[in-house]
Structure formats: structure tokens, C-alpha cells
């Protein structure tokens, strides 16, 4: 359960969570849902006096949860681009 203060933080940061999701990978409903849940978890664990702004903390937590979820589920992976320096010939 979120406190009123935590709910206000989450409500004011939905756009941030969506932005992080869109910058980490494809903007799908699943990724946005993961980002919103991560935002709620971030609101529960955020410590205002710990020296980090809410926005910075939330951004890191949302990105981390997205990446962790993709690792566990074998989800989104960025395409690897072959290096022009690695031609394979010696």
C-alpha cells in the first residue's frame, strides 16, 4: 500500500516512467506496466534525506527494473551492430 505522499510522487511521475521505458527499449504496454510498477516500488523505498532527488532515484529504479525483467524473461534485446573494425581478416 502506498501512503498519500507516495501516491502523489507516483502520480506526478507517470510521464517520467513512460519516458524511461521508451528510452530503454520499445514502448509496449508491457514495458509501460513494468515501469509503472517500478515507480510504485521506488516510491515505497525512496528516502528524501538520502541525498538523491526523487526524479533521479525513480529514473534509476525504473530503468533497473526494466533491465532486470528483460534479463529474467529473455525479453527485449538491442540488436548488436557489427563493429566496422572487426572484419575477421588478419
Amino acid at each position: 500500500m502506498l501512503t498519500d505522499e507516495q501516491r502523489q510522487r507516483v502520480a506526478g511521475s507517470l510521464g517520467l516512467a513512460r519516458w524511461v521505458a521508451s528510452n530503454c527499449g520499445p514502448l509496449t504496454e508491457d514495458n509501460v506496466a513494468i515501469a509503472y510498477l517500478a515507480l510504485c516500488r521506488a516510491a515505497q523505498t525512496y528516502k528524501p534525506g538520502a541525498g538523491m532527488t526523487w526524479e533521479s532515484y525513480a529514473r534509476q529504479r525504473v530503468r533497473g527494473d526494466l533491465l532486470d525483467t528483460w534479463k529474467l524473461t529473455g525479453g527485449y534485446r538491442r540488436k548488436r551492430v557489427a563493429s566496422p573494425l572487426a572484419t575477421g581478416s588478419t
Side-chain angles (χ1 to χ4, degrees):
M1 252 357 232
L2 296 174
T3 65
D4 288 338
E5 182 179 344
Q6 292 168 342
R7 277 191 212 106
Q8 288 176 352
R9 284 190 200 283
V10 169
S13 301
L14 293 174
L16 173 71
R18 188 175 179 85
W19 178 83
V20 171
S22 71
N23 282 298
C24 285
L27 189 61
T28 64
E29 288 181 20
D30 286 344
N31 289 344
V32 173
I34 293 165
Y36 288 168
L37 288 172
L39 192 63
C40 291
R41 282 194 291 274
Q44 290 174 324
T45 57
Y46 177 64
K47 307 271 188 274
M52 184 177 273
T53 67
W54 160 248
E55 290 78 13
S56 294
Y57 183 77
R59 188 171 37 251
Q60 288 181 349
R61 289 297 308 263
V62 170
R63 184 177 185 277
D65 278 10
L66 282 163
L67 296 175
D68 288 347
T69 300
W70 294 334
K71 274 192 251 178
L72 291 172
T73 63
Y76 174 72
R77 297 177 197 270
R78 291 186 187 261
K79 291 182 182 175
R80 289 185 182 237
V81 177
S83 169
L85 301 176
T87 60
S89 61
T90 55

